[in-house]
Amino acid sequence: MASKVYFTDMRAGFKKSLLDKVERLFDQAGMPAVIGRKDLVALKLHFGEKGNTGYIRPQFLRRIVNKVKGLGGRPFLTDANTLYFGSRDNAYNHLQTAIENGFAYAVVDAPLIIADGLTGKDYINVEINRKHFKEVKISSAAYHADAIIALTHFKGHEMTGFGGVLKNLGMGLGSRSGKQNMHSDVLPSVNPERCKGCERCSQWCPAQAINLQGKVTVVDESKCIGCGECTVTCPVHAIDINWKTQPEAIQEKIVEYAEGALKNKNGKYGFITFVTNVSPDCDCYGWSDAPLVKDIGILASRDPVAIDQACIDLVNQEAALPNTRLEGKPDVRDKFRSLYPDIDWNRQLAYAEEIGLGARQYELIKCD
Protein backbone atom coordinates (compact mmCIF):
# COMPACT_ATOMS: atom_id res chain seq x y z
CA MET A 1 0.00 0.00 0.00
CA ALA A 2 1.37 3.41 -0.98
CA SER A 3 2.22 5.84 1.81
CA LYS A 4 0.95 9.39 1.61
CA VAL A 5 3.45 12.18 1.07
CA TYR A 6 2.17 15.75 1.05
CA PHE A 7 3.87 18.41 -1.05
CA THR A 8 3.74 22.17 -1.42
CA ASP A 9 5.74 24.11 -3.99
CA MET A 10 7.65 27.35 -3.53
CA ARG A 11 5.00 29.67 -4.91
CA ALA A 12 3.78 32.33 -2.51
CA GLY A 13 1.63 35.42 -2.56
CA PHE A 14 -0.71 37.68 -0.61
CA LYS A 15 -2.00 35.79 2.47
CA LYS A 16 -0.14 32.68 1.28
CA SER A 17 3.47 32.96 2.36
CA LEU A 18 5.74 29.93 2.57
CA LEU A 19 5.45 30.13 6.34
CA ASP A 20 1.67 29.88 6.07
CA LYS A 21 2.00 26.97 3.66
CA VAL A 22 4.20 25.08 6.11
CA GLU A 23 1.49 25.38 8.75
CA ARG A 24 -1.15 24.02 6.36
CA LEU A 25 1.19 21.21 5.32
CA PHE A 26 1.63 20.33 8.99
CA ASP A 27 -2.14 19.94 9.36
CA GLN A 28 -2.80 18.15 6.07
CA ALA A 29 -0.08 15.57 6.71
CA GLY A 30 -1.72 14.57 10.01
CA MET A 31 0.93 15.95 12.37
CA PRO A 32 -1.66 17.00 14.98
CA ALA A 33 -2.39 13.29 15.58
CA VAL A 34 1.22 12.86 16.72
CA ILE A 35 0.98 15.35 19.59
CA GLY A 36 -0.91 15.00 22.85
CA ARG A 37 -1.51 17.56 25.54
CA LYS A 38 1.65 18.17 27.63
CA ASP A 39 3.72 15.94 25.33
CA LEU A 40 7.42 16.74 25.22
CA VAL A 41 7.97 17.09 21.49
CA ALA A 42 11.48 16.83 20.04
CA LEU A 43 11.84 18.93 16.89
CA LYS A 44 14.90 17.21 15.41
CA LEU A 45 16.87 19.40 13.04
CA HIS A 46 20.41 20.23 12.00
CA PHE A 47 21.50 23.62 13.36
CA GLY A 48 24.17 23.94 10.67
CA GLU A 49 27.90 24.08 11.15
CA LYS A 50 29.48 27.51 11.69
CA GLY A 51 29.89 29.07 8.23
CA ASN A 52 27.19 26.88 6.64
CA THR A 53 24.06 28.50 5.15
CA GLY A 54 22.11 25.53 3.82
CA TYR A 55 20.15 24.60 6.96
CA ILE A 56 16.41 25.28 7.41
CA ARG A 57 15.62 28.90 8.22
CA PRO A 58 14.68 29.49 11.88
CA GLN A 59 11.45 31.28 10.89
CA PHE A 60 10.02 27.97 9.70
CA LEU A 61 10.84 26.39 13.04
CA ARG A 62 8.94 29.17 14.83
CA ARG A 63 5.79 28.27 12.90
CA ILE A 64 6.15 24.57 13.75
CA VAL A 65 6.72 25.50 17.40
CA ASN A 66 3.52 27.56 17.30
CA LYS A 67 1.56 24.63 15.89
CA VAL A 68 2.86 22.23 18.54
CA LYS A 69 2.10 24.67 21.35
CA GLY A 70 -1.38 25.23 19.94
CA LEU A 71 -2.02 21.49 20.37
CA GLY A 72 -0.89 21.60 23.99
CA GLY A 73 2.55 20.12 23.33
CA ARG A 74 5.85 21.29 24.79
CA PRO A 75 8.32 21.56 21.89
CA PHE A 76 12.08 21.80 22.05
CA LEU A 77 14.67 22.03 19.26
CA THR A 78 17.32 19.35 19.41
CA ASP A 79 20.27 17.66 17.75
CA ALA A 80 23.12 15.50 19.05
CA ASN A 81 26.80 16.42 19.17
CA THR A 82 29.05 15.61 16.23
CA LEU A 83 31.71 12.92 16.08
CA TYR A 84 34.21 15.15 14.30
CA PHE A 85 35.82 18.05 16.14
CA GLY A 86 34.05 21.13 14.76
CA SER A 87 31.77 23.82 16.10
CA ARG A 88 29.18 21.32 17.41
CA ASP A 89 31.19 18.55 19.10
CA ASN A 90 30.04 19.47 22.63
CA ALA A 91 26.93 21.15 23.97
CA TYR A 92 28.67 24.44 24.79
CA ASN A 93 29.94 24.93 21.24
CA HIS A 94 26.82 23.40 19.74
CA LEU A 95 24.44 25.82 21.45
CA GLN A 96 26.68 28.77 20.61
CA THR A 97 26.66 27.76 16.93
CA ALA A 98 22.89 27.25 16.93
CA ILE A 99 22.32 30.71 18.37
CA GLU A 100 24.74 32.31 15.90
CA ASN A 101 22.84 30.61 13.08
CA GLY A 102 19.59 32.18 14.24
CA PHE A 103 18.01 29.57 16.52
CA ALA A 104 17.86 31.72 19.64
CA TYR A 105 14.87 31.37 21.97
CA ALA A 106 13.72 34.86 21.02
CA VAL A 107 13.42 33.73 17.40
CA VAL A 108 12.03 30.19 17.70
CA ASP A 109 10.12 30.53 21.01
CA ALA A 110 11.34 27.16 22.26
CA PRO A 111 14.32 25.89 24.25
CA LEU A 112 17.34 24.31 22.60
CA ILE A 113 18.41 21.01 24.13
CA ILE A 114 21.48 19.12 22.94
CA ALA A 115 20.17 15.59 22.84
CA ASP A 116 23.21 13.67 24.11
CA GLY A 117 24.36 16.10 26.78
CA LEU A 118 27.47 18.15 27.39
CA THR A 119 30.03 15.78 25.86
CA GLY A 120 27.90 13.16 24.11
CA LYS A 121 27.69 10.73 27.03
CA ASP A 122 23.96 11.03 27.70
CA TYR A 123 22.35 8.20 25.77
CA ILE A 124 20.08 5.18 26.15
CA ASN A 125 20.92 1.72 24.83
CA VAL A 126 17.93 0.65 22.71
CA GLU A 127 17.60 -3.01 21.78
CA ILE A 128 16.88 -3.61 18.08
CA ASN A 129 18.54 -6.98 17.24
CA ARG A 130 19.39 -6.20 13.63
CA LYS A 131 22.11 -7.13 11.15
CA HIS A 132 24.79 -4.74 12.41
CA PHE A 133 23.67 -3.86 15.93
CA LYS A 134 21.94 -5.69 18.74
CA GLU A 135 21.42 -2.35 20.43
CA VAL A 136 21.97 1.27 19.47
CA LYS A 137 22.96 4.34 21.47
CA ILE A 138 20.14 6.88 21.15
CA SER A 139 20.55 10.37 22.57
CA SER A 140 18.62 10.57 25.82
CA ALA A 141 16.62 13.74 25.15
CA ALA A 142 15.20 12.20 21.98
CA TYR A 143 14.54 8.86 23.65
CA HIS A 144 12.67 10.42 26.57
CA ALA A 145 10.60 12.77 24.37
CA ASP A 146 6.98 11.72 23.90
CA ALA A 147 7.03 12.51 20.18
CA ILE A 148 9.48 13.41 17.43
CA ILE A 149 9.03 15.63 14.41
CA ALA A 150 12.11 15.48 12.20
CA LEU A 151 12.68 18.62 10.15
CA THR A 152 15.18 17.83 7.43
CA HIS A 153 17.15 19.82 4.87
CA PHE A 154 17.51 17.53 1.85
CA LYS A 155 20.98 17.48 0.25
CA GLY A 156 23.78 15.33 -1.10
CA HIS A 157 26.22 13.42 1.07
CA GLU A 158 29.65 12.04 0.33
CA MET A 159 29.15 8.82 2.33
CA THR A 160 25.47 7.98 1.72
CA GLY A 161 24.74 9.66 -1.62
CA PHE A 162 22.04 11.86 -0.15
CA GLY A 163 21.01 13.06 3.28
CA GLY A 164 17.31 12.86 4.12
CA VAL A 165 15.06 11.87 7.01
CA LEU A 166 16.72 8.51 7.65
CA LYS A 167 20.12 10.13 8.06
CA ASN A 168 18.68 12.99 10.10
CA LEU A 169 17.22 10.46 12.53
CA GLY A 170 19.88 7.75 12.52
CA MET A 171 23.18 9.59 12.39
CA GLY A 172 21.62 12.69 13.90
CA LEU A 173 20.26 11.05 17.06
CA GLY A 174 23.07 8.57 17.64
CA SER A 175 25.39 9.54 20.48
CA ARG A 176 28.98 10.49 19.62
CA SER A 177 30.18 6.93 20.26
CA GLY A 178 27.19 5.67 18.28
CA LYS A 179 28.29 7.83 15.38
CA GLN A 180 31.72 6.20 15.59
CA ASN A 181 30.04 2.78 15.43
CA MET A 182 28.18 3.80 12.29
CA HIS A 183 31.21 5.31 10.60
CA SER A 184 33.72 2.54 11.11
CA ASP A 185 34.22 -1.22 11.08
CA VAL A 186 37.79 -0.83 12.42
CA LEU A 187 38.82 -1.15 16.08
CA PRO A 188 40.45 1.91 17.67
CA SER A 189 44.19 2.39 18.01
CA VAL A 190 46.23 4.80 20.12
CA ASN A 191 48.76 7.29 18.78
CA PRO A 192 51.55 6.98 21.40
CA GLU A 193 53.03 10.37 20.45
CA ARG A 194 49.81 12.15 21.46
CA CYS A 195 48.78 10.01 24.44
CA LYS A 196 49.32 11.71 27.83
CA GLY A 197 48.45 8.66 29.92
CA CYS A 198 45.52 10.41 31.66
CA GLU A 199 43.45 7.17 31.66
CA ARG A 200 40.15 8.93 30.96
CA CYS A 201 39.52 6.47 28.13
CA SER A 202 39.93 3.45 30.40
CA GLN A 203 37.36 4.89 32.82
CA TRP A 204 34.75 4.86 30.04
CA CYS A 205 35.68 1.49 28.49
CA PRO A 206 32.80 -0.96 29.20
CA ALA A 207 34.93 -3.96 28.15
CA GLN A 208 37.96 -3.13 30.32
CA ALA A 209 40.04 -3.36 27.16
CA ILE A 210 42.25 -0.33 27.83
CA ASN A 211 45.28 -0.34 30.09
CA LEU A 212 48.24 1.91 30.78
CA GLN A 213 51.58 0.40 29.81
CA GLY A 214 54.27 2.70 31.12
CA LYS A 215 53.02 6.16 30.22
CA VAL A 216 50.98 5.18 27.14
CA THR A 217 47.48 3.73 26.80
CA VAL A 218 47.14 0.42 24.95
CA VAL A 219 43.95 -1.16 23.57
CA ASP A 220 43.60 -4.93 23.95
CA GLU A 221 41.92 -5.89 20.65
CA SER A 222 40.95 -9.31 22.01
CA LYS A 223 38.62 -7.56 24.49
CA CYS A 224 37.69 -4.42 22.51
CA ILE A 225 34.05 -4.34 21.35
CA GLY A 226 34.48 -1.29 19.12
CA CYS A 227 31.98 0.84 21.04
CA GLY A 228 33.77 4.12 20.28
CA GLU A 229 33.68 5.50 23.83
CA CYS A 230 37.46 5.90 24.00
CA THR A 231 37.56 7.79 20.71
CA VAL A 232 35.08 10.43 21.84
CA THR A 233 36.51 10.63 25.39
CA CYS A 234 40.21 11.27 24.72
CA PRO A 235 40.91 14.98 25.48
CA VAL A 236 44.02 15.13 23.27
CA HIS A 237 42.66 13.17 20.28
CA ALA A 238 45.22 10.39 20.68
CA ILE A 239 42.63 7.79 19.63
CA ASP A 240 41.77 8.84 16.11
CA ILE A 241 38.28 8.78 14.66
CA ASN A 242 37.97 5.90 12.20
CA TRP A 243 36.05 6.57 8.98
CA LYS A 244 36.77 3.18 7.41
CA THR A 245 33.58 1.47 6.27
CA GLN A 246 31.70 0.56 3.10
CA PRO A 247 28.89 2.71 1.65
CA GLU A 248 26.37 -0.12 1.94
CA ALA A 249 27.33 -0.85 5.55
CA ILE A 250 27.09 2.74 6.79
CA GLN A 251 23.71 3.18 5.13
CA GLU A 252 22.35 0.06 6.80
CA LYS A 253 23.78 1.13 10.16
CA ILE A 254 22.15 4.55 9.87
CA VAL A 255 18.82 2.88 9.13
CA GLU A 256 19.18 0.68 12.21
CA TYR A 257 19.84 3.76 14.33
CA ALA A 258 16.81 5.46 12.79
CA GLU A 259 14.73 2.49 13.87
CA GLY A 260 16.15 2.79 17.38
CA ALA A 261 15.31 6.51 17.49
CA LEU A 262 11.64 5.79 16.72
CA LYS A 263 11.23 2.47 18.51
CA ASN A 264 9.60 3.67 21.74
CA LYS A 265 7.44 6.33 20.12
CA ASN A 266 4.45 4.12 19.19
CA GLY A 267 3.82 6.00 15.96
CA LYS A 268 4.12 9.43 17.56
CA TYR A 269 6.40 10.85 14.89
CA GLY A 270 6.23 12.80 11.68
CA PHE A 271 8.58 14.26 9.07
CA ILE A 272 8.86 17.55 7.21
CA THR A 273 11.57 17.93 4.57
CA PHE A 274 12.74 21.08 2.81
CA VAL A 275 13.93 20.41 -0.73
CA THR A 276 15.57 23.82 -0.97
CA ASN A 277 19.22 24.84 -1.35
CA VAL A 278 19.92 21.25 -2.40
CA SER A 279 23.67 21.37 -1.87
CA PRO A 280 25.98 18.52 -2.90
CA ASP A 281 27.42 18.13 0.60
CA CYS A 282 26.26 17.66 4.18
CA ASP A 283 25.45 20.72 6.32
CA CYS A 284 28.26 19.60 8.65
CA TYR A 285 30.74 21.44 6.45
CA GLY A 286 31.62 25.05 7.21
CA TRP A 287 30.31 26.15 3.82
CA SER A 288 27.42 25.47 1.42
CA ASP A 289 28.24 24.85 -2.23
CA ALA A 290 25.92 26.06 -5.01
CA PRO A 291 22.52 24.27 -5.10
CA LEU A 292 22.30 21.46 -7.67
CA VAL A 293 18.72 22.20 -8.76
CA LYS A 294 16.16 24.94 -8.25
CA ASP A 295 14.25 25.11 -4.97
CA ILE A 296 11.51 22.50 -5.35
CA GLY A 297 9.27 22.66 -2.30
CA ILE A 298 8.45 21.24 1.11
CA LEU A 299 7.21 17.73 1.85
CA ALA A 300 5.55 16.10 4.87
CA SER A 301 4.69 12.52 5.74
CA ARG A 302 4.31 10.03 8.55
CA ASP A 303 6.53 7.59 6.61
CA PRO A 304 10.32 8.28 6.68
CA VAL A 305 11.08 5.97 3.75
CA ALA A 306 8.38 7.32 1.46
CA ILE A 307 9.32 10.95 2.03
CA ASP A 308 13.00 10.28 1.28
CA GLN A 309 12.05 8.43 -1.90
CA ALA A 310 9.76 11.28 -2.97
CA CYS A 311 12.52 13.84 -2.40
CA ILE A 312 14.97 11.84 -4.51
CA ASP A 313 12.44 11.52 -7.32
CA LEU A 314 11.60 15.24 -7.31
CA VAL A 315 15.28 16.23 -7.43
CA ASN A 316 16.03 13.79 -10.25
CA GLN A 317 13.14 15.15 -12.31
CA GLU A 318 14.71 18.62 -12.35
CA ALA A 319 17.40 19.92 -14.68
CA ALA A 320 20.74 20.62 -13.04
CA LEU A 321 21.59 24.28 -12.57
CA PRO A 322 24.62 25.84 -14.29
CA ASN A 323 27.76 26.68 -12.32
CA THR A 324 27.30 23.79 -9.90
CA ARG A 325 29.05 20.47 -9.30
CA LEU A 326 26.74 19.06 -11.99
CA GLU A 327 28.01 21.54 -14.59
CA GLY A 328 27.70 20.01 -18.05
CA LYS A 329 25.17 17.38 -16.91
CA PRO A 330 21.84 19.24 -17.05
CA ASP A 331 19.74 16.17 -17.84
CA VAL A 332 21.46 13.59 -15.63
CA ARG A 333 18.78 11.26 -14.30
CA ASP A 334 20.48 10.36 -11.02
CA LYS A 335 21.96 13.53 -9.58
CA PHE A 336 23.51 11.97 -6.48
CA ARG A 337 24.94 8.92 -8.23
CA SER A 338 26.54 11.31 -10.70
CA LEU A 339 28.15 13.18 -7.81
CA TYR A 340 29.17 10.04 -5.94
CA PRO A 341 29.45 7.21 -8.50
CA ASP A 342 30.73 4.68 -5.95
CA ILE A 343 27.70 5.03 -3.69
CA ASP A 344 24.36 3.36 -4.42
CA TRP A 345 22.01 5.47 -2.29
CA ASN A 346 19.18 3.00 -2.95
CA ARG A 347 20.52 0.72 -0.23
CA GLN A 348 19.33 2.87 2.68
CA LEU A 349 15.79 2.98 1.31
CA ALA A 350 15.69 -0.70 0.42
CA TYR A 351 17.02 -1.76 3.83
CA ALA A 352 14.63 0.56 5.69
CA GLU A 353 11.75 -1.00 3.79
CA GLU A 354 13.08 -4.51 4.51
CA ILE A 355 13.05 -3.97 8.28
CA GLY A 356 9.61 -2.35 8.24
CA LEU A 357 10.40 1.34 8.75
CA GLY A 358 8.23 2.37 5.81
CA ALA A 359 7.47 1.91 2.13
CA ARG A 360 9.19 3.23 -0.98
CA GLN A 361 5.89 3.34 -2.85
CA TYR A 362 4.08 6.58 -2.22
CA GLU A 363 1.24 8.81 -3.32
CA LEU A 364 2.29 12.45 -3.75
CA ILE A 365 -0.54 14.76 -2.70
CA LYS A 366 -0.25 18.41 -3.78
CA CYS A 367 -1.29 20.91 -1.12
CA ASP A 368 -2.08 24.60 -1.58
Side-chain angles (χ1 to χ4, degrees), residues 193-224:
E193 295 181 0
R194 292 182 188 171
C195 180
K196 303 299 182 184
C198 69
E199 297 189 273
R200 283 196 199 178
C201 55
S202 63
Q203 296 169 19
W204 280 94
C205 179
Q208 296 183 323
I210 300 177
N211 297 289
L212 197 64
Q213 293 186 5
K215 296 183 178 181
V216 177
T217 294
V218 175
V219 178
D220 184 345
E221 292 190 359
S222 68
K223 294 181 179 180
C224 179

Side-chain angles (χ1 to χ4, degrees), residues 150-170:
L151 299 123
T152 303
H153 170 230
F154 194 77
K155 65 272 182 184
H157 196 278
E158 68 279 9
M159 299 190 76
T160 58
F162 74 89
V165 169
L166 292 170
K167 187 171 183 300
N168 189 16
L169 288 171

Side-chain angles (χ1 to χ4, degrees), residues 85-142:
F85 301 105
S87 69
R88 296 178 301 118
D89 60 334
N90 62 70
Y92 181 92
N93 293 341
H94 204 155
L95 289 170
Q96 185 67 36
T97 299
I99 291 168
E100 288 180 11
N101 284 347
F103 295 97
Y105 197 112
V107 177
V108 297
D109 197 31
L112 279 59
I113 298 175
I114 303 307
D116 60 344
L118 183 63
T119 61
K121 298 293 189 183
D122 295 349
Y123 62 82
I124 306 295
N125 287 311
V126 178
E127 185 176 346
I128 59 169
N129 292 314
R130 291 297 181 187
K131 176 179 176 180
H132 297 279
F133 301 116
K134 299 301 181 185
E135 60 182 27
V136 291
K137 304 172 183 179
I138 301 302
S139 299
S140 60

Side-chain angles (χ1 to χ4, degrees), residues 26 29-37 39-41 71 146-149 265-271 301-302:
F26 180 96
M31 300 298 168
V34 170
I35 299 159
R37 185 165 180 77
D39 274 356
L40 291 167
V41 182
L71 294 163
D146 300 298
I148 289 178
I149 297 177
K265 295 296 180 282
N266 298 314
K268 290 174 69 67
Y269 47 75
F271 315 102
S301 181
R302 301 284 301 281

